[in-house]
Amino acid sequence: MNVLSVENLRKSFGDLEVIQDISFSLEHGEVLAIIGPSGSGKSTLLRCINLLEEVDGGKISICGEEMVSEVDGKVQYAPKEQLRAIRLKTGLVFQNYHLFPHFSVLRNITEAPVHVSNVPPAQAEKTAHELLDKMGLAEKADAYPCQLSGGQAQRVSIARAMAMHPEILFFDEPTSALDPELTGEILKVIKELAAEKMTMVIVTHEMAFAREVADRVIFMEHGVIVDQGPPEALFHSENPRTRAFLGNYYRI
Amino acid sequence: MNINSLLKLVPHMVDASLTTLNIFFLTLIFAVPLGFVICFGRMSKYKPVRKIVEFYLLIMRGTPLILQLIFFFYGVFPFFGLSLPRFWAAIFAFVLNYAAYFCEIFRSGLESMPRGQREAAAVLGFTKTQTFFRILLPQVIKRILPPMGSECMTLVKDTALAQVIGVAELFQLANSSVSREASIIPIFVAGVFYLLMNGIVSRCFSALEKRLNYYQ
Amino acid sequence: MMRTNKRRIALLLGMMLLGLTLAGCASTGEDVGLSKVMDKGVLVMGLDDAFPPMGFRDEDQNIVGFDVDVATEVASRMGVELQLQPIDWSSKEQELSAGNVDCLWNGFTKTPQREEQMCLSTAYMKNTQVVVLPADSTVQSIDDLAGKTVVVQSGSSAELAIDELEGFEESLKELVAVSDNVTAMMDLGTGSSDAVVMDEVVARYYMSKNEGQYRLLEESLADEEYVIGFAKQNQSLKDAVEEQLYAMAEDGTLAEISEKWFGEDLTTLGK
């Protein structure tokens, strides 16, 4: 089943064309990693799909529902109510977690299910505890975000996204704000989600990360897809730009 | 001024303090919500709305409150044939004036919120209203408590200005007692009352800040 | 007498704003003063409740004073109730023109300017601007004040009287203007100054509060009269009040009230 389809997506900030004509699609249970240098447009791509930026052209569909399309060269978003429904099928994990500091860990996870999806509080709490268990954070339910380490905070933010039962989960550089030794915690969680057939798109700087969890890797540069394929194929790509980028990475 | 006169004065000062407290609480009750409404106008995406609010803020913050009291009571209300009692005319002017200051405090609080909080809420599907009341407002309240505390203490002292339109509050009583007794002691007694009231205001805000200290 | 003008600047600014809004609707009203008072059965008297002994609050916060007693009697003879409305004295003209009060009656000095703006009653009492000295002062005449420091209430008619007295201010070491008469008396009490110029009735009140500390110079600076102020168009109300005052002068009530407050009859009506 097709979960995400992006066609000819374009986005500019003023004169700067951040995304130029990008197309790709994702099947259920697939894990896609998007790599590329800073400023290549990877994060903007995620933000467009998650309705945090408006696109300038192209088409995005989620689970077969058209979110945005182009009619006679004009961008047309779905009606507000439909957009809201589509939005609930996606989840986004931010680089800096963006947990709600005034809520306990548990309430960070239950707030949206209870008030957005009208899940009974008791049930939402049960789900939240299960998710925290899975993240290895069972004892942190009553803690506040300021009491968590970066790795713990990021795992809570993943649990918060998962509590809405999204069809597809996006990660925007989920380990960039973490100390290198903490990235393992996140990697482990993502791997577990992959094993459960969670459809995921991960924008990352961590090549090892992409290599370990992704079914497919897209290499982006200057707003276009330069190269793509299964991780092993991409890491041995003949494409000179891919090689140059990965070469930089290996030298570091 | 002898001790008997002083003892007689104190209960009257307590009475007059009630008027002062009435002005204080009524101003807060109306000016805080109004301040929020004005704040949204100030941050509106429609330029005319923003311009009108900016003009209002300039007038309210750029002229003395004492002048506004006089202007409303002797100018605006009679002009429209309204006869608002002195006390309510004073409340009217205080509310309009303080809402302007509150508006700017709220705005500084809202604008200091990281964009990520709004985005995280949006991605989870919260509506704009839910995002405001559940996510932003509680955090904004914590951030604006210190300036709000200062503003409230200023308000306690500013209530003395109501006497300019004949409202019999604490400082007015002190003044008339000074004239009767030919002694400035009543002014100092009033000072003790203001200090007491502001001591309580200050304690309340400290307690509130403490209560919200459970997160950063 | 012009009273406390601490807030003069704010008031001036306010009045400038008001000027536009009120232009044209100020003095065009009909003479409805009397019928309004009689219909409502209430005469609203605007006063400064911090001006002893004419009108002030006693220790129980009741407004009392010479003018209050006279006005109470006038109102009862007119068959209406007297309502005392304390106002900020610097806003008295606005209170009157906005109709918040029916009259200004509180040691209100007759001046040419006020005669033009308002409808003033016949003077009911004489007042002089006197010089208050410490009891042990060596000053015996106005000329002796040369080289001394004199205090007045800023914006008061004492200040006006000094202005009118040719060469007097120049002869002084310094003329200090303070915000109110109590402050002026304090200034004198602490020895910071040598004399205070103020209304005689007020001076006598404060001297009685500090028995033996002060004395008055026999020579006075200026003679003035106290009147009652009404809105320009309210001639009929003024006439009605005046009529009762004359009657009270006739039957001795006025003299009686004066003796109660001043120990002598200072009233001038019908004399």
Side-chain angles (χ1 to χ4, degrees):
Chain A
M1 187 184 92
N2 182 290
V3 178
L4 171 68
S5 131
V6 174
E7 285 169 50
N8 312 106
L9 196 70
R10 296 192 316 278
K11 169 73 187 170
S12 306
F13 290 115
D15 288 338
L16 183 69
E17 234 184 337
V18 187
I19 296 175
Q20 316 175 27
D21 196 19
I22 282 194
S23 304
F24 67 92
S25 71
L26 211 60
E27 293 299 311
H28 176 76
E30 217 182 344
V31 178
L32 171 71
I34 303 178
I35 60 170
S38 321
S40 59
K42 343 182 266 300
S43 286
T44 306
L45 178 62
L46 279 205
R47 293 174 61 82
C48 286
I49 299 170
N50 282 282
L51 295 166
L52 295 177
E53 302 285 354
E54 275 186 40
V55 303
D56 295 329
K59 203 171 133 182
I60 303 174
S61 301
I62 287 173
C63 298
E65 281 187 71
E66 209 160 78
M67 187 168 92
V68 58
S69 57
E70 217 172 327
V71 181
D72 301 330
K74 276 185 82 179
V75 174
Q76 205 163 50
Y77 275 89
K80 218 173 156 192
E81 273 315 297
Q82 206 181 329
L83 276 187
R84 233 174 99 74
I86 295 172
R87 170 165 250 169
L88 293 183
K89 295 184 196 291
T90 67
L92 174 61
V93 172
F94 296 86
Q95 179 179 344
N96 294 310
Y97 343 124
H98 298 324
L99 292 178
F100 305 129
H102 57 305
F103 290 155
S104 67
V105 163
L106 190 72
R107 185 137 177 227
N108 260 282
I109 301 170
T110 57
E111 191 75 359
V114 172
H115 295 288
V116 176
S117 315
N118 298 317
V119 173
Q123 193 190 323
E125 278 179 31
K126 189 167 160 277
T127 312
H129 280 296
E130 285 167 9
L131 281 166
L132 283 173
D133 256 347
K134 211 158 91 182
M135 302 286 162
L137 292 170
E139 78 285 3
K140 293 288 183 189
D142 296 322
Y144 282 87
C146 62
Q147 298 165 312
L148 303 177
S149 72
Q152 291 170 333
Q154 191 59 294
R155 279 182 281 159
V156 171
S157 89
I158 296 171
R160 179 175 69 176
M162 288 299 295
M164 293 299 282
H165 304 296
E167 296 291 335
I168 176 168
L169 193 53
F170 296 89
F171 294 82
D172 187 5
E173 313 225 10
T175 56
S176 296
L178 300 179
D179 291 336
E181 67 265 27
L182 296 178
T183 58
E185 300 177 10
I186 307 304
L187 185 61
K188 188 168 157 266
V189 168
I190 293 178
K191 271 178 153 174
E192 278 168 20
L193 291 176
E196 291 167 18
K197 290 285 160 209
M198 184 72 212
T199 314
M200 291 183 281
V201 176
I202 305 161
V203 163
T204 183
H205 276 116
E206 299 270 341
M207 296 312 139
F209 207 107
R211 204 166 178 169
E212 274 195 61
V213 297
D215 301 314
R216 191 151 57 100
V217 180
I218 285 179
F219 170 53
M220 257 179 89
E221 199 175 40
H222 304 308
V224 293
I225 295 176
V226 174
D227 204 354
Q228 58 179 314
E232 286 316 309
L234 200 84
F235 280 83
H236 298 102
S237 170
E238 296 297 317
N239 186 311
R241 281 156 72 188
T242 312
R243 289 181 71 89
F245 176 71
L246 292 174
N248 270 338
Y249 157 69
Y250 282 124
R251 269 200 300 282
I252 296 162
Chain B
M1 170 172 205
N2 63 42
I3 188 75
N4 280 333
S5 307
L6 191 63
L7 288 177
K8 266 192 135 170
L9 181 62
V10 169
H12 295 298
M13 286 243 165
V14 172
D15 273 353
S17 299
L18 292 182
T19 306
T20 293
L21 289 174
N22 268 334
I23 299 174
F24 175 78
F25 283 115
L26 285 168
T27 302
L28 279 190
I29 287 170
F30 293 115
V32 168
L34 182 63
F36 263 112
V37 172
I38 295 167
C39 180
F40 292 134
R42 176 73 180 70
M43 295 167 77
S44 164
K45 52 186 168 186
Y46 302 108
K47 201 171 171 192
V49 175
R50 262 193 341 257
K51 287 288 161 199
I52 290 169
V53 170
E54 276 171 28
F55 181 68
Y56 164 83
L57 293 178
L58 179 67
I59 297 288
M60 285 300 150
R61 298 190 304 156
T63 59
L65 175 52
I66 193 164
L67 184 154
Q68 292 161 20
L69 283 158
I70 293 168
F71 182 67
F72 284 118
F73 189 60
Y74 298 116
V76 177
F77 296 143
F79 183 74
F80 291 106
L82 296 167
S83 71
L84 212 56
R86 283 159 206 280
F87 178 79
W88 289 104
I91 298 296
F92 186 87
F94 270 96
V95 167
L96 285 189
N97 181 276
Y98 269 79
Y101 287 97
F102 289 157
C103 157
E104 287 298 270
I105 292 179
F106 299 155
R107 186 167 67 92
S108 73
L110 276 170
E111 288 184 348
S112 77
M113 288 300 297
R115 197 176 55 163
Q117 291 290 306
R118 267 195 192 86
E119 291 184 349
V123 166
L124 286 168
F126 288 108
T127 62
K128 284 213 162 125
T129 320
Q130 283 176 326
T131 304
F132 179 76
F133 284 105
R134 299 192 169 275
I135 310 299
L136 300 178
L137 187 61
Q139 298 184 60
V140 166
I141 287 173
K142 180 182 162 90
R143 282 171 197 230
I144 64 174
L145 271 183
M148 283 301 280
S150 296
E151 209 54 37
C152 286
M153 290 176 82
T154 306
L155 174 56
V156 169
K157 294 177 285 178
D158 273 358
T159 56
L161 296 177
Q163 66 170 304
V164 77
I165 56 171
V167 175
E169 44 66 61
L170 183 55
F171 205 69
Q172 198 269 348
L173 172 70
N175 273 338
S176 71
S177 306
V178 163
S179 297
R180 176 184 64 246
E181 302 292 342
S183 153
I184 50 171
I185 289 172
I187 296 267
F188 297 136
V189 178
V192 173
F193 275 79
Y194 283 111
L195 203 56
L196 254 145
M197 287 188 268
N198 262 337
I200 296 170
V201 170
S202 161
R203 286 288 285 269
C204 288
F205 273 89
S206 298
L208 268 175
E209 278 184 47
K210 221 176 207 162
R211 265 190 70 174
L212 293 181
N213 251 347
Y214 66 87
Y215 73 90
Q216 259 143 30
Chain C
M1 178 209 53
M2 289 181 217
R3 298 293 314 290
T4 317
N5 273 341
K6 298 170 211 172
R7 293 173 277 263
R8 181 181 259 179
I9 292 173
L11 193 69
L12 265 177
L13 285 167
M15 289 314 118
M16 280 161 64
L17 285 169
L18 280 185
L20 292 168
T21 51
L22 290 183
C25 68
S27 55
T28 53
E30 289 171 59
D31 180 1
V32 292
L34 182 60
S35 52
K36 182 185 142 204
V37 168
M38 299 315 285
D39 287 351
K40 284 199 302 184
V42 177
L43 175 67
V44 183
M45 162 175 166
L47 82 168
D48 178 354
D49 65 357
F51 188 50
M54 306 309 276
F56 64 107
R57 288 187 188 265
D58 65 14
E59 287 185 343
D60 299 317
Q61 302 304 317
N62 301 310
I63 301 174
V64 297
F66 171 78
D67 280 336
V68 175
D69 280 358
V70 175
T72 307
E73 181 64 22
V74 167
S76 98
R77 288 182 186 210
M78 283 170 72
V80 296
E81 198 185 313
L82 180 71
Q83 187 189 325
L84 300 169
Q85 177 58 61
I87 57 173
D88 189 279
W89 201 246
S90 44
S91 307
K92 56 190 173 303
E93 290 85 1
Q94 285 65 52
E95 295 279 1
L96 197 60
S97 62
N100 295 326
V101 299
D102 297 317
C103 60
L104 299 171
W105 192 342
N106 191 200
F108 192 57
T109 301
K110 181 174 174 178
T111 67
Q113 196 193 9
R114 287 173 181 170
E115 253 183 316
E116 193 151 306
Q117 286 178 342
M118 301 174 196
C119 174
L120 301 180
S121 73
T122 310
Y124 60 90
M125 189 188 246
K126 205 165 74 73
N127 175 47
T128 55
Q129 290 298 329
V130 294
V131 181
V132 185
L133 301 161
D136 57 0
S137 170
T138 56
V139 174
Q140 297 302 331
S141 69
I142 289 178
D143 293 340
D144 287 351
L145 285 170
K148 305 277 189 196
T149 303
V150 172
V151 190
V152 291
Q153 181 193 1
S154 150
S156 67
S157 40
E159 204 176 33
L160 277 182
I162 290 173
D163 266 356
E164 306 255 302
L165 207 63
E166 199 116 349
F168 178 70
E169 191 178 341
E170 289 74 16
S171 76
L172 299 175
K173 182 181 169 214
E174 197 183 355
L175 181 68
V176 179
V178 296
S179 66
D180 55 67
N181 282 323
V182 180
T183 314
M185 293 298 283
M186 301 243 160
D187 211 83
L188 189 62
T190 58
S192 313
S193 50
D194 304 300
V196 177
V197 179
M198 63 166 76
D199 285 22
E200 182 184 356
V201 288
V202 183
R204 287 192 186 281
Y205 177 81
Y206 286 131
M207 284 170 64
S208 72
K209 281 266 157 190
N210 299 281
E211 208 88 45
Q213 252 185 291
Y214 304 105
R215 66 181 175 86
L216 290 185
L217 198 62
E218 267 172 46
E219 230 180 312
S220 65
L221 260 79
D223 291 327
E224 294 171 346
E225 290 171 315
Y226 285 155
V227 295
I228 307 159
F230 299 87
K232 189 81 184 171
Q233 72 275 15
N234 286 348
Q235 182 81 29
S236 61
L237 180 59
K238 187 212 84 171
D239 291 343
V241 170
E242 232 170 35
E243 189 191 327
Q244 301 302 337
L245 280 177
Y246 274 111
M248 285 164 65
E250 192 96 347
D251 63 24
T253 319
L254 210 51
E256 206 175 290
I257 297 174
S258 175
E259 268 162 39
K260 171 184 165 194
W261 289 99
F262 308 112
E264 55 188 306
D265 182 10
L266 299 178
T267 62
T268 54
L269 211 64
K271 286 175 189 165

Short mmCIF file of all heavy atoms in Angstrom, two decimals, chain C residues 29 41-42 54 81-82 106 112 121 148 153 165 183 201 217 221-222 230 234 236 266 268:
data_model
loop_
_atom_site.label_atom_id
_atom_site.label_comp_id
_atom_site.label_asym_id
_atom_site.label_seq_id
_atom_site.Cartn_x
_atom_site.Cartn_y
_atom_site.Cartn_z
N GLY C 29 -26.28 76.48 27.47
CA GLY C 29 -27.41 75.85 28.14
C GLY C 29 -28.47 76.84 28.60
O GLY C 29 -28.23 78.04 28.74
N GLY C 41 -34.94 67.60 44.30
CA GLY C 41 -34.97 67.80 45.75
C GLY C 41 -33.58 67.71 46.36
O GLY C 41 -33.44 67.46 47.55
N VAL C 42 -32.57 67.88 45.54
CA VAL C 42 -31.20 67.77 46.04
C VAL C 42 -30.35 68.92 45.51
O VAL C 42 -30.39 69.22 44.32
CB VAL C 42 -30.55 66.43 45.58
CG1 VAL C 42 -29.10 66.36 46.05
CG2 VAL C 42 -31.33 65.24 46.13
N MET C 54 -13.55 75.98 56.50
CA MET C 54 -14.73 76.21 55.68
C MET C 54 -15.44 74.90 55.36
O MET C 54 -16.67 74.81 55.38
CB MET C 54 -14.35 76.94 54.38
CG MET C 54 -13.56 78.23 54.58
SD MET C 54 -14.36 79.35 55.75
CE MET C 54 -15.53 80.19 54.70
N GLU C 81 -32.60 68.71 49.89
CA GLU C 81 -31.57 68.06 50.68
C GLU C 81 -30.21 68.53 50.18
O GLU C 81 -30.04 68.75 48.97
CB GLU C 81 -31.70 66.55 50.45
CG GLU C 81 -31.00 65.71 51.49
CD GLU C 81 -31.08 64.24 51.12
OE1 GLU C 81 -32.20 63.78 50.76
OE2 GLU C 81 -30.04 63.57 51.18
N LEU C 82 -29.26 68.70 51.09
CA LEU C 82 -27.92 69.11 50.67
C LEU C 82 -27.05 67.87 50.50
O LEU C 82 -26.96 67.04 51.40
CB LEU C 82 -27.28 70.03 51.72
CG LEU C 82 -25.88 70.51 51.34
CD1 LEU C 82 -25.92 71.51 50.20
CD2 LEU C 82 -25.16 71.11 52.54
N ASN C 106 -17.00 76.92 49.01
CA ASN C 106 -15.95 76.39 49.88
C ASN C 106 -14.82 77.41 50.00
O ASN C 106 -13.72 77.17 49.56
CB ASN C 106 -15.44 75.08 49.27
CG ASN C 106 -14.54 74.30 50.21
OD1 ASN C 106 -13.80 73.47 49.76
ND2 ASN C 106 -14.59 74.55 51.49
N PRO C 112 -11.88 88.55 39.12
CA PRO C 112 -12.49 89.05 37.87
C PRO C 112 -12.69 87.92 36.86
O PRO C 112 -13.68 87.87 36.15
CB PRO C 112 -11.46 90.06 37.36
CG PRO C 112 -10.67 90.45 38.56
CD PRO C 112 -10.66 89.26 39.47
N SER C 121 -22.38 84.56 43.42
CA SER C 121 -23.33 85.17 44.37
C SER C 121 -22.72 86.46 44.93
O SER C 121 -21.53 86.74 44.72
CB SER C 121 -23.60 84.20 45.51
OG SER C 121 -22.46 84.15 46.36
N LYS C 148 13.83 88.64 53.99
CA LYS C 148 13.40 87.39 54.63
C LYS C 148 12.90 86.38 53.59
O LYS C 148 12.62 86.73 52.44
CB LYS C 148 12.27 87.66 55.63
CG LYS C 148 12.59 88.71 56.66
CD LYS C 148 13.38 88.10 57.80
CE LYS C 148 13.51 89.12 58.94
NZ LYS C 148 14.55 88.75 59.89
N GLN C 153 1.31 79.07 49.29
CA GLN C 153 0.82 77.91 48.55
C GLN C 153 0.84 78.28 47.07
O GLN C 153 0.35 79.33 46.68
CB GLN C 153 -0.60 77.57 48.98
CG GLN C 153 -1.13 76.36 48.24
CD GLN C 153 -2.61 76.17 48.40
OE1 GLN C 153 -3.28 76.96 49.06
NE2 GLN C 153 -3.11 75.11 47.82
N LEU C 165 1.38 93.40 44.96
CA LEU C 165 2.01 94.36 45.87
C LEU C 165 3.35 94.78 45.29
O LEU C 165 4.32 94.03 45.33
CB LEU C 165 2.19 93.68 47.24
CG LEU C 165 2.20 94.60 48.45
CD1 LEU C 165 0.85 95.33 48.59
CD2 LEU C 165 2.48 93.79 49.71
N THR C 183 2.02 72.30 54.29
CA THR C 183 3.45 72.25 54.02
C THR C 183 4.09 73.60 54.31
O THR C 183 5.19 73.67 54.86
CB THR C 183 3.69 71.85 52.55
OG1 THR C 183 2.86 70.74 52.24
CG2 THR C 183 5.13 71.49 52.31
N VAL C 201 -8.81 83.11 57.40
CA VAL C 201 -9.60 82.07 58.09
C VAL C 201 -8.82 80.78 58.24
O VAL C 201 -8.91 80.09 59.26
CB VAL C 201 -10.93 81.79 57.35
CG1 VAL C 201 -11.90 82.94 57.53
CG2 VAL C 201 -10.72 81.46 55.90
N LEU C 217 0.69 89.04 61.66
CA LEU C 217 1.09 90.43 61.49
C LEU C 217 -0.20 91.26 61.43
O LEU C 217 -1.16 90.87 60.78
CB LEU C 217 1.88 90.56 60.18
CG LEU C 217 2.74 91.80 60.00
CD1 LEU C 217 3.83 91.87 61.07
CD2 LEU C 217 3.39 91.77 58.62
N LEU C 221 -2.09 91.91 53.68
CA LEU C 221 -1.60 92.17 52.32
C LEU C 221 -2.70 92.57 51.36
O LEU C 221 -2.50 93.38 50.47
CB LEU C 221 -0.90 90.91 51.76
CG LEU C 221 0.62 90.94 51.83
CD1 LEU C 221 1.06 90.61 53.24
CD2 LEU C 221 1.22 89.99 50.82
N ALA C 222 -3.86 91.94 51.51
CA ALA C 222 -4.93 92.21 50.55
C ALA C 222 -6.27 91.83 51.15
O ALA C 222 -6.34 90.97 52.03
CB ALA C 222 -4.70 91.42 49.27
N PHE C 230 -21.78 79.47 40.64
CA PHE C 230 -22.77 78.65 39.92
C PHE C 230 -22.40 78.64 38.45
O PHE C 230 -21.64 79.50 37.99
CB PHE C 230 -24.18 79.25 40.08
CG PHE C 230 -24.65 79.32 41.50
CD1 PHE C 230 -24.35 80.42 42.30
CD2 PHE C 230 -25.38 78.27 42.06
CE1 PHE C 230 -24.76 80.48 43.61
CE2 PHE C 230 -25.80 78.34 43.38
CZ PHE C 230 -25.50 79.45 44.16
N ASN C 234 -26.98 79.52 35.25
CA ASN C 234 -27.91 79.19 36.32
C ASN C 234 -28.22 80.35 37.26
O ASN C 234 -28.15 80.23 38.48
CB ASN C 234 -27.38 77.98 37.12
CG ASN C 234 -27.55 76.70 36.33
OD1 ASN C 234 -28.24 76.69 35.31
ND2 ASN C 234 -26.92 75.64 36.78
N SER C 236 -31.05 81.64 38.06
CA SER C 236 -32.21 81.42 38.94
C SER C 236 -31.82 80.70 40.22
O SER C 236 -32.30 81.02 41.30
CB SER C 236 -33.28 80.61 38.20
OG SER C 236 -32.75 79.35 37.84
N LEU C 266 -17.92 87.29 61.11
CA LEU C 266 -17.09 87.77 60.01
C LEU C 266 -17.91 87.98 58.74
O LEU C 266 -17.36 88.36 57.70
CB LEU C 266 -15.97 86.75 59.70
CG LEU C 266 -14.96 86.47 60.83
CD1 LEU C 266 -13.95 85.42 60.37
CD2 LEU C 266 -14.22 87.74 61.23
N THR C 268 -20.51 89.46 55.93
CA THR C 268 -20.67 90.83 55.43
C THR C 268 -22.02 91.05 54.78
O THR C 268 -22.34 92.17 54.40
CB THR C 268 -19.58 91.13 54.38
OG1 THR C 268 -19.65 90.13 53.37
CG2 THR C 268 -18.22 91.15 55.01
#
